[in-house]
Amino acid sequence: MSAHPPLLAADELRVTFRPGGRELRAVDGVSLDVQAGETVALVGESGSGKSTVALALMGVHPLAGGRVRFDGRDVTAAEGAERKALRRRMQLILQDPYGSLDPRWSVARILEEPLVAHAVGDAASRARRVGELLAQVGLPADAAERRPHQFSGGQRQRIAIARALALEPRLLIADEPVSALDVSIQAQIVNLLLEVQRTRGTALLVITHDIALVHHVAHRVVVMYLGRVVETGPVDEVILRPRHPYTIALLKSAPRI
Ligand code: ADP
Ligand code: MG
C-alpha cells in the first residue's frame, strides 16, 4: 500500500434524478479511487450510471451524498480559488467530440480557452502552447486556423484531448472516448491516451462498455451495475476470474476477448 493518499478518491457518491417526479438513484453509493499515474477502467452496460459518476466527479452534478477528494483535498467542499485550482487538475473528455467543440471557434481558440479562463501566460506564450498541444496529439500546426467541422471524428477527438491537456491535468476522465469513432481509428486514440499517460504520468479514468478495451489499457477495473459497484480489482483478476454474475455476463458479450 502506498503511503500517499490516492490522487482521486470518491467516497459513497450518490446522485439522484427525479424524472417525472419519481426518484431515480442513478448513482447509489459508489466509491472508487485512482492513484497518480494509474489507469482505472469504469465499466458497465448502458444506463448503469457511468457518465453520471464522471459528471459527479467533475462537480457538474450535485451530490445527494458522498464526497470527492483530489490529492487529499475535499473538492466537494472547496470553494472559490481553491476549487478552481483543484478543478484544473482534472479534465473530462467526452464521447462525442463534435458536440463538445464550438463549431464557430478556430482550433487555436478552442485550445487557448482553458488557458485564458485560468489566466495562464500571455498571448504569445498561449500561441506557443497551442502549437505544442497540436504536436502532442499528432495534428499538423496549420490545424490551429481551421474549425472543428473541417476534421474527421478521430481528429476532432484529438482536438478534444489537446484541450483537456492544455492545463496539464493530473487526471483525465475519458467517458467512452472512442465509442463514437470508426473501429479503424479507435486504436489510434487509445494509443494517444496511453502515450499521454506514459510521457506525462497522467492518471486515467476510462469509462467504457467495451471490456476488450479495458484489458488493453487498464491496471484496475471497477464494474458498475444499476448505479452500484459490483466488482473491483486488478484487470487480470477481474477479467480472468470474474466473481459477480454481471461481470461474467459482460465478458461473455465481448467478442474481442
Ligand atoms: P451510463 O453512462 O452508464 O450509460 P448514465 O449515467 O448516463 O449511464 O445514466 C444512468 C441513469 O441515470 C439512466 O437511467 C439515465 O437514464 C439516468 N440519467 C442520466 N442523466 C440523467 C438526467 N440528467 N436526468 C434524468 N435521468 C438521467
Ligand atoms: Mg454514458
Side-chain angles (χ1 to χ4, degrees), residues 25 50 103-104 157 205 235:
R25 294 184 183 176
K50 305 180 300 297
R104 297 164 303 172
Q157 198 58 307
L205 179 62
V235 67

Side-chain angles (χ1 to χ4, degrees), residues 213-232:
L213 175 68
V214 170
H215 202 196
H216 183 56
V217 305
H219 302 117
R220 280 191 303 124
V221 186
V222 176
V223 184
M224 272 186 81
Y225 182 63
L226 292 179
R228 296 170 191 251
V229 173
V230 294
E231 182 158 1
T232 178

Side-chain angles (χ1 to χ4, degrees), residues 60-148:
V60 176
H61 282 324
L63 295 176
R67 67 173 174 167
V68 179
R69 272 170 295 177
F70 189 78
D71 222 3
R73 285 144 80 194
D74 192 333
V75 190
T76 28
E79 284 171 19
E82 188 194 9
R83 185 182 166 88
K84 201 169 172 184
L86 287 169
R87 286 286 170 213
R88 70 180 273 187
R89 297 297 175 204
M90 44 197 297
Q91 294 288 327
L92 182 63
I93 297 166
L94 297 169
Q95 174 176 345
D96 173 16
Y98 205 51
S100 64
L101 302 175
D102 191 320
R104 297 164 303 172
W105 286 14
S106 68
V107 170
R109 183 161 175 209
I110 288 168
L111 300 186
E112 226 194 335
E113 193 273 336
L115 302 171
V116 172
H118 285 267
V120 177
D122 57 17
S125 72
R126 288 197 292 262
R128 271 198 307 279
R129 182 79 182 124
V130 166
E132 283 169 17
L133 289 165
L134 289 172
Q136 194 183 349
V137 301
L139 288 172
D142 67 7
E145 301 318 314
R146 289 188 265 153
R147 277 160 220 283

Side-chain angles (χ1 to χ4, degrees), residues 111-195:
L111 300 186
E112 226 194 335
E113 193 273 336
L115 302 171
V116 172
H118 285 267
V120 177
D122 57 17
S125 72
R126 288 197 292 262
R128 271 198 307 279
R129 182 79 182 124
V130 166
E132 283 169 17
L133 289 165
L134 289 172
Q136 194 183 349
V137 301
L139 288 172
D142 67 7
E145 301 318 314
R146 289 188 265 153
R147 277 160 220 283
H149 74 266
Q150 295 174 276
F151 296 88
S152 67
Q155 288 172 323
R156 284 200 292 264
Q157 198 58 307
R158 288 179 193 271
I159 297 166
I161 292 170
R163 178 179 58 184
L165 293 175
L167 293 164
E168 303 194 293
R170 297 184 61 205
L171 172 71
L172 283 178
I173 301 177
D175 188 359
E176 309 267 8
V178 299
S179 43
L181 304 178
D182 287 350
V183 175
S184 60
I185 305 298
Q186 291 185 0
Q188 294 175 16
I189 297 300
V190 169
N191 288 336
L192 172 60
L193 290 172
L194 292 178
E195 188 188 309

Side-chain angles (χ1 to χ4, degrees), residues 17-19 24 26 44-53 61 175 207:
F17 297 117
R18 298 189 185 280
L24 172 69
E45 68 184 358
S46 178
S48 56
K50 305 180 300 297
S51 294
T52 306
V53 168
H61 282 324
D175 188 359
I207 297 174

